[in-house]
Structures are given as structure tokens and as C-alpha cells.
Amino acid sequence: GAGVSQSPSNKVTEKGKDVELRCDPISGHTALYWYRQSLGQGLEFLIYFQGNSAPDKSGLPSDRFSAERTGGSVSTLTIQRTQQEDSAVYLCASSFVGWANNEQFFGPGTRLTVL
Amino acid sequence: KNEVEQSPQNLTAQEGEFITINCSYSVGISALHWLQQHPGGGIVSLFMLSSGKKKHGRLIATINIQEKHSSLHITASHPRDSAVYICAVPRAGSQGNLIFGKGTKLSVKP
């Protein structure tokens, strides 16, 4: 079966432009997570979706960042008015239930470069 | 003080050596996770544990909840074990909001 997929794999954009990053979780996984990893830095939590519950958005670094999950499946992370400090690898993961109980499966990531 | 601390930051070993990577945390947790990030960037979940010990092949993870400490051991290390090993714990009150250690970069020489 297919794992978690993300698109695009690479995205280069100019400062001030909006970008959308897509995540397709493993079918049947109820929990979906977004993280980012800046160059040379550790993983940073962004947002967590679990079923129909309100998402935990506490990791989003600013109001330029938003995410949605449609139909409990595909998720899109949107960054508005991108800044150079947004350059990072954005990783998506999914699990059958919440993190504390189940293994997460990671996608390959989207490398975002803001010029 | 960081909430999740790993040691060492970097580790170089010869093939066949026994490896230990440590993780200490300062928050109360329900479970701790060990992840492996390959040189190409892909991340794989190795273990999730809340008590005792788990073993998978040459990898062993232990946790001491009272001491807030976990260790990841690799027996008979191999160059293909070269990767960054990351521990992570859920932030208090959240299942999905995770606190990550900075990772331990392991290089196993043939």
C-alpha cells in the first residue's frame, strides 16, 4: 500500500508569495501532523488534526500559516506572504489514532525555498 | 533547560560496536518515541514506549519513567545504521503537539 505522500517535493518561491503544500495521508489514518525542519535545526511541531476534532494549531509560528484537512483525508498547509525564514523542509505524518498511542508514518517532505 | 535533551550530539563508531544514545526529558509523559532520520531526510518511527523495554532486531529502547530518561541501544552496529536519531515526547495536555530532541548524529565506519 501507498505511504504518506507530499507534493510538491521541492518548491522555490519569491518572498511575499503564497504557497500551498499538500499531504496525502495513509488511507484510514485518522490523525495527521505537520512539522517543519529548518536547515540544521530540529523538528518543530506545527499542527495536528485528529478525526473531526478541532485541530491543535498551537505550533503554527504566525497567522501567515494555516492548514486544513478536507474530508478527513488530504491536508493542505498554506503559507501566505512567505518570508525567507519560512525556508525549511515541511513534513507531514499520519497515524491510525493520536501520536501517544500509535506509530507515525512520515512523508518524504516538501523542501521550501523562499528567495 | 531544554525540555528534551539528547546526548551525545554526535557519535562516531566502528562497525560492530555497541551504541547507546540517551534522552532525558523534563515533562511528564504518556509515551516517548524514537525516530530515525536517514541521510536523505526520510524519517522512520522506530519505537513508541511508555515503560520498560522494547526490542526490534538490533535496536533496543528502554525507558525509566521515574528518572525521565530513555536510551536507544544498537547492537553490532553497521554503516547502514548511520543516521540522526531523535527522541520526542508529547507536550503536556496534547497528543499531537510534540517536543523533539535535537537529535544524535551517528556515523558508523566500516
PDB file of all heavy atoms in Angstrom, chain A residues 33 35 37 42-45 48 50 56 58-59 91 98-104 106, chain B residues 30-31 33 35 37 41 43-45 48 86 88-90 94-98 100-101:
ATOM      1  N   TYR A  33      -0.371  15.123  10.973  1.00  0.00           N
ATOM      2  CA  TYR A  33       0.531  16.064  11.630  1.00  0.00           C
ATOM      3  C   TYR A  33       1.364  16.801  10.576  1.00  0.00           C
ATOM      4  O   TYR A  33       1.774  16.201   9.587  1.00  0.00           O
ATOM      5  CB  TYR A  33       1.512  15.330  12.555  1.00  0.00           C
ATOM      6  CG  TYR A  33       0.905  14.263  13.420  1.00  0.00           C
ATOM      7  CD1 TYR A  33       0.592  13.005  12.908  1.00  0.00           C
ATOM      8  CD2 TYR A  33       0.669  14.491  14.776  1.00  0.00           C
ATOM      9  CE1 TYR A  33       0.050  12.020  13.703  1.00  0.00           C
ATOM     10  CE2 TYR A  33       0.129  13.504  15.584  1.00  0.00           C
ATOM     11  CZ  TYR A  33      -0.182  12.274  15.042  1.00  0.00           C
ATOM     12  OH  TYR A  33      -0.724  11.301  15.839  1.00  0.00           O
ATOM     13  N   TYR A  35       4.939  19.120  10.430  1.00  0.00           N
ATOM     14  CA  TYR A  35       6.143  19.565  11.112  1.00  0.00           C
ATOM     15  C   TYR A  35       6.992  20.345  10.114  1.00  0.00           C
ATOM     16  O   TYR A  35       6.794  20.241   8.898  1.00  0.00           O
ATOM     17  CB  TYR A  35       6.993  18.379  11.591  1.00  0.00           C
ATOM     18  CG  TYR A  35       6.279  17.367  12.421  1.00  0.00           C
ATOM     19  CD1 TYR A  35       5.829  16.175  11.859  1.00  0.00           C
ATOM     20  CD2 TYR A  35       6.061  17.581  13.783  1.00  0.00           C
ATOM     21  CE1 TYR A  35       5.188  15.229  12.628  1.00  0.00           C
ATOM     22  CE2 TYR A  35       5.417  16.632  14.551  1.00  0.00           C
ATOM     23  CZ  TYR A  35       4.981  15.457  13.966  1.00  0.00           C
ATOM     24  OH  TYR A  35       4.340  14.525  14.728  1.00  0.00           O
ATOM     25  N   GLN A  37      11.309  21.405   9.458  1.00  0.00           N
ATOM     26  CA  GLN A  37      12.694  21.240   9.882  1.00  0.00           C
ATOM     27  C   GLN A  37      13.530  22.246   9.104  1.00  0.00           C
ATOM     28  O   GLN A  37      13.737  22.094   7.899  1.00  0.00           O
ATOM     29  CB  GLN A  37      13.171  19.818   9.619  1.00  0.00           C
ATOM     30  CG  GLN A  37      14.524  19.508  10.207  1.00  0.00           C
ATOM     31  CD  GLN A  37      14.862  18.032  10.101  1.00  0.00           C
ATOM     32  OE1 GLN A  37      14.511  17.361   9.134  1.00  0.00           O
ATOM     33  NE2 GLN A  37      15.546  17.500  11.109  1.00  0.00           N
ATOM     34  N   GLY A  42      16.260  21.176  14.535  1.00  0.00           N
ATOM     35  CA  GLY A  42      15.466  20.001  14.849  1.00  0.00           C
ATOM     36  C   GLY A  42      14.064  20.122  14.300  1.00  0.00           C
ATOM     37  O   GLY A  42      13.667  21.120  13.714  1.00  0.00           O
ATOM     38  N   LEU A  43      13.307  19.065  14.488  1.00  0.00           N
ATOM     39  CA  LEU A  43      11.919  19.040  14.069  1.00  0.00           C
ATOM     40  C   LEU A  43      11.073  19.955  14.951  1.00  0.00           C
ATOM     41  O   LEU A  43      11.276  20.029  16.159  1.00  0.00           O
ATOM     42  CB  LEU A  43      11.366  17.617  14.154  1.00  0.00           C
ATOM     43  CG  LEU A  43      11.788  16.675  13.034  1.00  0.00           C
ATOM     44  CD1 LEU A  43      11.627  15.239  13.469  1.00  0.00           C
ATOM     45  CD2 LEU A  43      10.964  16.958  11.800  1.00  0.00           C
ATOM     46  N   GLU A  44      10.121  20.611  14.331  1.00  0.00           N
ATOM     47  CA  GLU A  44       9.258  21.555  15.036  1.00  0.00           C
ATOM     48  C   GLU A  44       7.807  21.232  14.690  1.00  0.00           C
ATOM     49  O   GLU A  44       7.441  21.173  13.515  1.00  0.00           O
ATOM     50  CB  GLU A  44       9.612  22.974  14.595  1.00  0.00           C
ATOM     51  CG  GLU A  44       8.742  24.066  15.147  1.00  0.00           C
ATOM     52  CD  GLU A  44       9.057  25.413  14.520  1.00  0.00           C
ATOM     53  OE1 GLU A  44       9.784  25.447  13.510  1.00  0.00           O
ATOM     54  OE2 GLU A  44       8.560  26.426  15.017  1.00  0.00           O
ATOM     55  N   PHE A  45       6.999  21.022  15.708  1.00  0.00           N
ATOM     56  CA  PHE A  45       5.582  20.743  15.503  1.00  0.00           C
ATOM     57  C   PHE A  45       4.863  21.986  14.991  1.00  0.00           C
ATOM     58  O   PHE A  45       5.111  23.100  15.458  1.00  0.00           O
ATOM     59  CB  PHE A  45       4.966  20.298  16.832  1.00  0.00           C
ATOM     60  CG  PHE A  45       3.468  20.310  16.863  1.00  0.00           C
ATOM     61  CD1 PHE A  45       2.749  19.262  16.315  1.00  0.00           C
ATOM     62  CD2 PHE A  45       2.775  21.365  17.437  1.00  0.00           C
ATOM     63  CE1 PHE A  45       1.361  19.262  16.353  1.00  0.00           C
ATOM     64  CE2 PHE A  45       1.386  21.379  17.475  1.00  0.00           C
ATOM     65  CZ  PHE A  45       0.685  20.319  16.927  1.00  0.00           C
ATOM     66  N   TYR A  48      -1.820  19.677  14.286  1.00  0.00           N
ATOM     67  CA  TYR A  48      -2.233  18.282  14.441  1.00  0.00           C
ATOM     68  C   TYR A  48      -3.734  18.199  14.238  1.00  0.00           C
ATOM     69  O   TYR A  48      -4.492  18.934  14.862  1.00  0.00           O
ATOM     70  CB  TYR A  48      -1.816  17.806  15.828  1.00  0.00           C
ATOM     71  CG  TYR A  48      -2.518  16.599  16.398  1.00  0.00           C
ATOM     72  CD1 TYR A  48      -2.466  15.372  15.761  1.00  0.00           C
ATOM     73  CD2 TYR A  48      -3.196  16.687  17.624  1.00  0.00           C
ATOM     74  CE1 TYR A  48      -3.079  14.267  16.323  1.00  0.00           C
ATOM     75  CE2 TYR A  48      -3.809  15.583  18.184  1.00  0.00           C
ATOM     76  CZ  TYR A  48      -3.744  14.368  17.528  1.00  0.00           C
ATOM     77  OH  TYR A  48      -4.341  13.267  18.086  1.00  0.00           O
ATOM     78  N   GLN A  50      -6.984  15.468  14.355  1.00  0.00           N
ATOM     79  CA  GLN A  50      -7.396  14.145  14.820  1.00  0.00           C
ATOM     80  C   GLN A  50      -8.899  14.008  14.566  1.00  0.00           C
ATOM     81  O   GLN A  50      -9.708  14.666  15.221  1.00  0.00           O
ATOM     82  CB  GLN A  50      -7.080  13.945  16.303  1.00  0.00           C
ATOM     83  CG  GLN A  50      -7.717  12.740  16.967  1.00  0.00           C
ATOM     84  CD  GLN A  50      -7.404  11.412  16.314  1.00  0.00           C
ATOM     85  OE1 GLN A  50      -6.546  11.308  15.444  1.00  0.00           O
ATOM     86  NE2 GLN A  50      -8.117  10.383  16.724  1.00  0.00           N
ATOM     87  N   ASP A  56      -5.198  21.064  16.673  1.00  0.00           N
ATOM     88  CA  ASP A  56      -4.270  21.723  17.598  1.00  0.00           C
ATOM     89  C   ASP A  56      -3.322  22.561  16.756  1.00  0.00           C
ATOM     90  O   ASP A  56      -2.418  22.028  16.123  1.00  0.00           O
ATOM     91  CB  ASP A  56      -3.509  20.662  18.407  1.00  0.00           C
ATOM     92  CG  ASP A  56      -2.502  21.266  19.381  1.00  0.00           C
ATOM     93  OD1 ASP A  56      -2.225  22.481  19.301  1.00  0.00           O
ATOM     94  OD2 ASP A  56      -1.971  20.512  20.207  1.00  0.00           O
ATOM     95  N   SER A  58      -1.399  24.998  17.889  1.00  0.00           N
ATOM     96  CA  SER A  58      -0.535  25.750  18.786  1.00  0.00           C
ATOM     97  C   SER A  58       0.904  25.887  18.296  1.00  0.00           C
ATOM     98  O   SER A  58       1.649  26.738  18.776  1.00  0.00           O
ATOM     99  CB  SER A  58      -0.534  25.108  20.182  1.00  0.00           C
ATOM    100  OG  SER A  58      -0.113  23.766  20.098  1.00  0.00           O
ATOM    101  N   GLY A  59       1.309  25.077  17.320  1.00  0.00           N
ATOM    102  CA  GLY A  59       2.669  25.152  16.818  1.00  0.00           C
ATOM    103  C   GLY A  59       2.851  26.072  15.624  1.00  0.00           C
ATOM    104  O   GLY A  59       3.988  26.331  15.202  1.00  0.00           O
ATOM    105  N   LEU A  91       7.284  18.589   6.723  1.00  0.00           N
ATOM    106  CA  LEU A  91       7.000  17.159   6.781  1.00  0.00           C
ATOM    107  C   LEU A  91       5.589  16.920   7.273  1.00  0.00           C
ATOM    108  O   LEU A  91       5.104  17.593   8.181  1.00  0.00           O
ATOM    109  CB  LEU A  91       7.982  16.467   7.733  1.00  0.00           C
ATOM    110  CG  LEU A  91       9.431  16.428   7.247  1.00  0.00           C
ATOM    111  CD1 LEU A  91      10.385  16.388   8.422  1.00  0.00           C
ATOM    112  CD2 LEU A  91       9.645  15.215   6.371  1.00  0.00           C
ATOM    113  N   GLY A  98      -4.181   9.013  17.671  1.00  0.00           N
ATOM    114  CA  GLY A  98      -3.260  10.041  18.078  1.00  0.00           C
ATOM    115  C   GLY A  98      -1.875   9.528  18.402  1.00  0.00           C
ATOM    116  O   GLY A  98      -1.694   8.373  18.759  1.00  0.00           O
ATOM    117  N   TRP A  99      -0.919  10.419  18.294  1.00  0.00           N
ATOM    118  CA  TRP A  99       0.501  10.125  18.458  1.00  0.00           C
ATOM    119  C   TRP A  99       0.821   9.299  19.702  1.00  0.00           C
ATOM    120  O   TRP A  99       1.639   8.399  19.660  1.00  0.00           O
ATOM    121  CB  TRP A  99       1.276  11.431  18.487  1.00  0.00           C
ATOM    122  CG  TRP A  99       2.663  11.357  19.012  1.00  0.00           C
ATOM    123  CD1 TRP A  99       3.056  11.499  20.301  1.00  0.00           C
ATOM    124  CD2 TRP A  99       3.836  11.112  18.263  1.00  0.00           C
ATOM    125  NE1 TRP A  99       4.424  11.384  20.393  1.00  0.00           N
ATOM    126  CE2 TRP A  99       4.912  11.142  19.160  1.00  0.00           C
ATOM    127  CE3 TRP A  99       4.083  10.860  16.907  1.00  0.00           C
ATOM    128  CZ2 TRP A  99       6.219  10.956  18.734  1.00  0.00           C
ATOM    129  CZ3 TRP A  99       5.392  10.672  16.506  1.00  0.00           C
ATOM    130  CH2 TRP A  99       6.441  10.726  17.416  1.00  0.00           C
ATOM    131  N   ALA A 100       0.212   9.615  20.794  1.00  0.00           N
ATOM    132  CA  ALA A 100       0.598   8.956  22.028  1.00  0.00           C
ATOM    133  C   ALA A 100       0.314   7.465  21.990  1.00  0.00           C
ATOM    134  O   ALA A 100       0.842   6.717  22.789  1.00  0.00           O
ATOM    135  CB  ALA A 100      -0.119   9.600  23.213  1.00  0.00           C
ATOM    136  N   ASN A 101      -0.514   7.060  21.080  1.00  0.00           N
ATOM    137  CA  ASN A 101      -0.916   5.662  21.055  1.00  0.00           C
ATOM    138  C   ASN A 101      -0.391   4.885  19.863  1.00  0.00           C
ATOM    139  O   ASN A 101      -0.320   3.671  19.912  1.00  0.00           O
ATOM    140  CB  ASN A 101      -2.450   5.570  21.050  1.00  0.00           C
ATOM    141  CG  ASN A 101      -3.051   6.290  22.222  1.00  0.00           C
ATOM    142  OD1 ASN A 101      -2.539   6.203  23.315  1.00  0.00           O
ATOM    143  ND2 ASN A 101      -4.119   7.011  21.991  1.00  0.00           N
ATOM    144  N   ASN A 102      -0.069   5.564  18.789  1.00  0.00           N
ATOM    145  CA  ASN A 102       0.255   4.832  17.576  1.00  0.00           C
ATOM    146  C   ASN A 102       1.466   5.393  16.843  1.00  0.00           C
ATOM    147  O   ASN A 102       1.741   6.591  16.889  1.00  0.00           O
ATOM    148  CB  ASN A 102      -0.939   4.834  16.617  1.00  0.00           C
ATOM    149  CG  ASN A 102      -1.962   3.796  17.004  1.00  0.00           C
ATOM    150  OD1 ASN A 102      -2.799   4.066  17.835  1.00  0.00           O
ATOM    151  ND2 ASN A 102      -1.860   2.603  16.437  1.00  0.00           N
ATOM    152  N   GLU A 103       2.114   4.511  16.106  1.00  0.00           N
ATOM    153  CA  GLU A 103       3.264   4.870  15.309  1.00  0.00           C
ATOM    154  C   GLU A 103       2.872   5.880  14.234  1.00  0.00           C
ATOM    155  O   GLU A 103       1.817   5.765  13.619  1.00  0.00           O
ATOM    156  CB  GLU A 103       3.831   3.623  14.646  1.00  0.00           C
ATOM    157  CG  GLU A 103       4.995   3.871  13.694  1.00  0.00           C
ATOM    158  CD  GLU A 103       5.419   2.592  13.002  1.00  0.00           C
ATOM    159  OE1 GLU A 103       4.731   1.574  13.156  1.00  0.00           O
ATOM    160  OE2 GLU A 103       6.433   2.637  12.298  1.00  0.00           O
ATOM    161  N   GLN A 104       3.725   6.857  14.018  1.00  0.00           N
ATOM    162  CA  GLN A 104       3.512   7.804  12.942  1.00  0.00           C
ATOM    163  C   GLN A 104       4.277   7.372  11.705  1.00  0.00           C
ATOM    164  O   GLN A 104       5.394   6.866  11.796  1.00  0.00           O
ATOM    165  CB  GLN A 104       3.996   9.199  13.357  1.00  0.00           C
ATOM    166  CG  GLN A 104       3.106   9.889  14.341  1.00  0.00           C
ATOM    167  CD  GLN A 104       3.403  11.364  14.429  1.00  0.00           C
ATOM    168  OE1 GLN A 104       4.197  11.900  13.675  1.00  0.00           O
ATOM    169  NE2 GLN A 104       2.755  12.033  15.355  1.00  0.00           N
ATOM    170  N   PHE A 106       5.803   8.930   8.230  1.00  0.00           N
ATOM    171  CA  PHE A 106       6.187  10.228   7.692  1.00  0.00           C
ATOM    172  C   PHE A 106       6.213  10.225   6.172  1.00  0.00           C
ATOM    173  O   PHE A 106       6.597   9.220   5.546  1.00  0.00           O
ATOM    174  CB  PHE A 106       7.570  10.630   8.208  1.00  0.00           C
ATOM    175  CG  PHE A 106       7.570  11.071   9.644  1.00  0.00           C
ATOM    176  CD1 PHE A 106       7.541  10.151  10.680  1.00  0.00           C
ATOM    177  CD2 PHE A 106       7.590  12.424   9.963  1.00  0.00           C
ATOM    178  CE1 PHE A 106       7.536  10.561  12.004  1.00  0.00           C
ATOM    179  CE2 PHE A 106       7.592  12.844  11.287  1.00  0.00           C
ATOM    180  CZ  PHE A 106       7.564  11.914  12.307  1.00  0.00           C
TER     181      PHE A 106
ATOM    182  N   SER B  30       3.166  10.431  28.577  1.00  0.00           N
ATOM    183  CA  SER B  30       2.464   9.151  28.463  1.00  0.00           C
ATOM    184  C   SER B  30       3.257   8.176  27.611  1.00  0.00           C
ATOM    185  O   SER B  30       3.081   6.967  27.730  1.00  0.00           O
ATOM    186  CB  SER B  30       1.089   9.362  27.841  1.00  0.00           C
ATOM    187  OG  SER B  30       1.214  10.033  26.604  1.00  0.00           O
ATOM    188  N   ALA B  31       4.105   8.690  26.747  1.00  0.00           N
ATOM    189  CA  ALA B  31       4.889   7.820  25.874  1.00  0.00           C
ATOM    190  C   ALA B  31       6.054   8.609  25.304  1.00  0.00           C
ATOM    191  O   ALA B  31       5.994   9.837  25.210  1.00  0.00           O
ATOM    192  CB  ALA B  31       4.024   7.264  24.735  1.00  0.00           C
ATOM    193  N   HIS B  33       8.958   8.572  22.009  1.00  0.00           N
ATOM    194  CA  HIS B  33       9.193   7.993  20.696  1.00  0.00           C
ATOM    195  C   HIS B  33      10.637   8.181  20.272  1.00  0.00           C
ATOM    196  O   HIS B  33      11.241   9.216  20.543  1.00  0.00           O
ATOM    197  CB  HIS B  33       8.270   8.653  19.671  1.00  0.00           C
ATOM    198  CG  HIS B  33       6.830   8.425  19.955  1.00  0.00           C
ATOM    199  ND1 HIS B  33       6.055   7.538  19.243  1.00  0.00           N
ATOM    200  CD2 HIS B  33       6.015   8.954  20.896  1.00  0.00           C
ATOM    201  CE1 HIS B  33       4.822   7.544  19.746  1.00  0.00           C
ATOM    202  NE2 HIS B  33       4.770   8.387  20.740  1.00  0.00           N
ATOM    203  N   LEU B  35      12.847   8.191  16.760  1.00  0.00           N
ATOM    204  CA  LEU B  35      12.745   8.291  15.303  1.00  0.00           C
ATOM    205  C   LEU B  35      14.139   8.188  14.705  1.00  0.00           C
ATOM    206  O   LEU B  35      15.139   8.518  15.355  1.00  0.00           O
ATOM    207  CB  LEU B  35      12.136   9.642  14.894  1.00  0.00           C
ATOM    208  CG  LEU B  35      10.832  10.069  15.536  1.00  0.00           C
ATOM    209  CD1 LEU B  35      10.479  11.491  15.119  1.00  0.00           C
ATOM    210  CD2 LEU B  35       9.717   9.113  15.161  1.00  0.00           C
ATOM    211  N   GLN B  37      16.222   9.441  11.259  1.00  0.00           N
ATOM    212  CA  GLN B  37      16.202  10.250  10.048  1.00  0.00           C
ATOM    213  C   GLN B  37      17.419   9.899   9.221  1.00  0.00           C
ATOM    214  O   GLN B  37      18.552  10.123   9.628  1.00  0.00           O
ATOM    215  CB  GLN B  37      16.193  11.748  10.353  1.00  0.00           C
ATOM    216  CG  GLN B  37      16.048  12.605   9.108  1.00  0.00           C
ATOM    217  CD  GLN B  37      15.706  14.047   9.408  1.00  0.00           C
ATOM    218  OE1 GLN B  37      16.073  14.583  10.441  1.00  0.00           O
ATOM    219  NE2 GLN B  37      14.981  14.688   8.491  1.00  0.00           N
ATOM    220  N   GLY B  41      17.012  12.309   4.414  1.00  0.00           N
ATOM    221  CA  GLY B  41      15.969  13.114   5.027  1.00  0.00           C
ATOM    222  C   GLY B  41      14.743  12.348   5.467  1.00  0.00           C
ATOM    223  O   GLY B  41      13.966  12.856   6.265  1.00  0.00           O
ATOM    224  N   ILE B  43      12.183  10.054   7.411  1.00  0.00           N
ATOM    225  CA  ILE B  43      12.040   9.776   8.845  1.00  0.00           C
ATOM    226  C   ILE B  43      11.214   8.515   9.037  1.00  0.00           C
ATOM    227  O   ILE B  43      10.168   8.344   8.419  1.00  0.00           O
ATOM    228  CB  ILE B  43      11.375  10.955   9.568  1.00  0.00           C
ATOM    229  CG1 ILE B  43      12.273  12.190   9.494  1.00  0.00           C
ATOM    230  CG2 ILE B  43      11.084  10.595  11.023  1.00  0.00           C
ATOM    231  CD1 ILE B  43      11.662  13.434  10.114  1.00  0.00           C
ATOM    232  N   VAL B  44      11.710   7.674   9.925  1.00  0.00           N
ATOM    233  CA  VAL B  44      11.025   6.432  10.261  1.00  0.00           C
ATOM    234  C   VAL B  44      10.849   6.371  11.767  1.00  0.00           C
ATOM    235  O   VAL B  44      11.771   6.692  12.521  1.00  0.00           O
ATOM    236  CB  VAL B  44      11.843   5.209   9.789  1.00  0.00           C
ATOM    237  CG1 VAL B  44      11.199   3.919  10.263  1.00  0.00           C
ATOM    238  CG2 VAL B  44      11.987   5.209   8.284  1.00  0.00           C
ATOM    239  N   SER B  45       9.664   5.977  12.190  1.00  0.00           N
ATOM    240  CA  SER B  45       9.426   5.785  13.604  1.00  0.00           C
ATOM    241  C   SER B  45       9.994   4.433  14.016  1.00  0.00           C
ATOM    242  O   SER B  45       9.683   3.411  13.412  1.00  0.00           O
ATOM    243  CB  SER B  45       7.921   5.836  13.888  1.00  0.00           C
ATOM    244  OG  SER B  45       7.658   5.568  15.233  1.00  0.00           O
ATOM    245  N   MET B  48       7.805   3.369  20.065  1.00  0.00           N
ATOM    246  CA  MET B  48       6.993   4.154  20.979  1.00  0.00           C
ATOM    247  C   MET B  48       6.892   3.329  22.248  1.00  0.00           C
ATOM    248  O   MET B  48       6.493   2.166  22.204  1.00  0.00           O
ATOM    249  CB  MET B  48       5.609   4.408  20.397  1.00  0.00           C
ATOM    250  CG  MET B  48       4.746   5.363  21.189  1.00  0.00           C
ATOM    251  SD  MET B  48       3.848   4.600  22.557  1.00  0.00           S
ATOM    252  CE  MET B  48       2.644   3.643  21.652  1.00  0.00           C
ATOM    253  N   ILE B  86      16.348  10.635  16.845  1.00  0.00           N
ATOM    254  CA  ILE B  86      15.625  11.714  17.504  1.00  0.00           C
ATOM    255  C   ILE B  86      14.647  11.127  18.497  1.00  0.00           C
ATOM    256  O   ILE B  86      13.918  10.186  18.170  1.00  0.00           O
ATOM    257  CB  ILE B  86      14.841  12.551  16.468  1.00  0.00           C
ATOM    258  CG1 ILE B  86      15.784  13.110  15.395  1.00  0.00           C
ATOM    259  CG2 ILE B  86      14.068  13.678  17.148  1.00  0.00           C
ATOM    260  CD1 ILE B  86      15.059  13.621  14.149  1.00  0.00           C
ATOM    261  N   ALA B  88      11.329  12.054  21.029  1.00  0.00           N
ATOM    262  CA  ALA B  88      10.251  13.035  21.090  1.00  0.00           C
ATOM    263  C   ALA B  88       9.223  12.628  22.129  1.00  0.00           C
ATOM    264  O   ALA B  88       8.958  11.425  22.313  1.00  0.00           O
ATOM    265  CB  ALA B  88       9.567  13.174  19.729  1.00  0.00           C
ATOM    266  N   VAL B  89       8.650  13.625  22.800  1.00  0.00           N
ATOM    267  CA  VAL B  89       7.613  13.365  23.792  1.00  0.00           C
ATOM    268  C   VAL B  89       6.450  14.305  23.545  1.00  0.00           C
ATOM    269  O   VAL B  89       6.640  15.409  23.022  1.00  0.00           O
ATOM    270  CB  VAL B  89       8.146  13.544  25.230  1.00  0.00           C
ATOM    271  CG1 VAL B  89       9.311  12.608  25.497  1.00  0.00           C
ATOM    272  CG2 VAL B  89       8.541  14.990  25.495  1.00  0.00           C
ATOM    273  N   PRO B  90       5.227  13.887  23.905  1.00  0.00           N
ATOM    274  CA  PRO B  90       4.081  14.783  23.732  1.00  0.00           C
ATOM    275  C   PRO B  90       4.143  15.916  24.745  1.00  0.00           C
ATOM    276  O   PRO B  90       4.486  15.694  25.902  1.00  0.00           O
ATOM    277  CB  PRO B  90       2.879  13.882  24.008  1.00  0.00           C
ATOM    278  CG  PRO B  90       3.390  12.483  24.037  1.00  0.00           C
ATOM    279  CD  PRO B  90       4.826  12.564  24.405  1.00  0.00           C
ATOM    280  N   SER B  94      -1.435  17.450  25.388  1.00  0.00           N
ATOM    281  CA  SER B  94      -1.662  17.325  23.952  1.00  0.00           C
ATOM    282  C   SER B  94      -1.155  15.983  23.461  1.00  0.00           C
ATOM    283  O   SER B  94      -0.092  15.542  23.849  1.00  0.00           O
ATOM    284  CB  SER B  94      -0.950  18.440  23.196  1.00  0.00           C
ATOM    285  OG  SER B  94      -0.995  18.195  21.795  1.00  0.00           O
ATOM    286  N   GLN B  95      -1.929  15.364  22.601  1.00  0.00           N
ATOM    287  CA  GLN B  95      -1.446  14.130  21.997  1.00  0.00           C
ATOM    288  C   GLN B  95      -0.519  14.401  20.835  1.00  0.00           C
ATOM    289  O   GLN B  95       0.422  13.667  20.588  1.00  0.00           O
ATOM    290  CB  GLN B  95      -2.631  13.293  21.505  1.00  0.00           C
ATOM    291  CG  GLN B  95      -3.340  12.528  22.579  1.00  0.00           C
ATOM    292  CD  GLN B  95      -4.242  11.469  21.967  1.00  0.00           C
ATOM    293  OE1 GLN B  95      -4.834  11.676  20.924  1.00  0.00           O
ATOM    294  NE2 GLN B  95      -4.343  10.338  22.620  1.00  0.00           N
ATOM    295  N   GLY B  96      -0.826  15.451  20.083  1.00  0.00           N
ATOM    296  CA  GLY B  96      -0.092  15.643  18.850  1.00  0.00           C
ATOM    297  C   GLY B  96       1.002  16.674  18.902  1.00  0.00           C
ATOM    298  O   GLY B  96       1.882  16.688  18.052  1.00  0.00           O
ATOM    299  N   ASN B  97       0.954  17.589  19.878  1.00  0.00           N
ATOM    300  CA  ASN B  97       1.958  18.636  19.976  1.00  0.00           C
ATOM    301  C   ASN B  97       3.193  18.052  20.626  1.00  0.00           C
ATOM    302  O   ASN B  97       3.187  17.741  21.814  1.00  0.00           O
ATOM    303  CB  ASN B  97       1.412  19.806  20.789  1.00  0.00           C
ATOM    304  CG  ASN B  97       2.343  21.000  20.756  1.00  0.00           C
ATOM    305  OD1 ASN B  97       3.531  20.865  20.500  1.00  0.00           O
ATOM    306  ND2 ASN B  97       1.795  22.167  21.016  1.00  0.00           N
ATOM    307  N   LEU B  98       4.234  17.873  19.822  1.00  0.00           N
ATOM    308  CA  LEU B  98       5.387  17.115  20.267  1.00  0.00           C
ATOM    309  C   LEU B  98       6.580  17.998  20.521  1.00  0.00           C
ATOM    310  O   LEU B  98       6.777  19.016  19.868  1.00  0.00           O
ATOM    311  CB  LEU B  98       5.759  16.103  19.193  1.00  0.00           C
ATOM    312  CG  LEU B  98       4.582  15.236  18.757  1.00  0.00           C
ATOM    313  CD1 LEU B  98       4.935  14.483  17.513  1.00  0.00           C
ATOM    314  CD2 LEU B  98       4.206  14.299  19.885  1.00  0.00           C
ATOM    315  N   PHE B 100      10.608  17.765  20.424  1.00  0.00           N
ATOM    316  CA  PHE B 100      11.650  16.924  19.857  1.00  0.00           C
ATOM    317  C   PHE B 100      13.005  17.262  20.469  1.00  0.00           C
ATOM    318  O   PHE B 100      13.309  18.418  20.751  1.00  0.00           O
ATOM    319  CB  PHE B 100      11.745  17.136  18.345  1.00  0.00           C
ATOM    320  CG  PHE B 100      10.538  16.668  17.596  1.00  0.00           C
ATOM    321  CD1 PHE B 100       9.488  17.525  17.352  1.00  0.00           C
ATOM    322  CD2 PHE B 100      10.461  15.370  17.122  1.00  0.00           C
ATOM    323  CE1 PHE B 100       8.367  17.102  16.652  1.00  0.00           C
ATOM    324  CE2 PHE B 100       9.352  14.932  16.413  1.00  0.00           C
ATOM    325  CZ  PHE B 100       8.298  15.801  16.182  1.00  0.00           C
ATOM    326  N   GLY B 101      13.815  16.244  20.634  1.00  0.00           N
ATOM    327  CA  GLY B 101      15.207  16.471  20.936  1.00  0.00           C
ATOM    328  C   GLY B 101      15.914  16.957  19.674  1.00  0.00           C
ATOM    329  O   GLY B 101      15.366  16.882  18.570  1.00  0.00           O
TER     330      GLY B 101
END
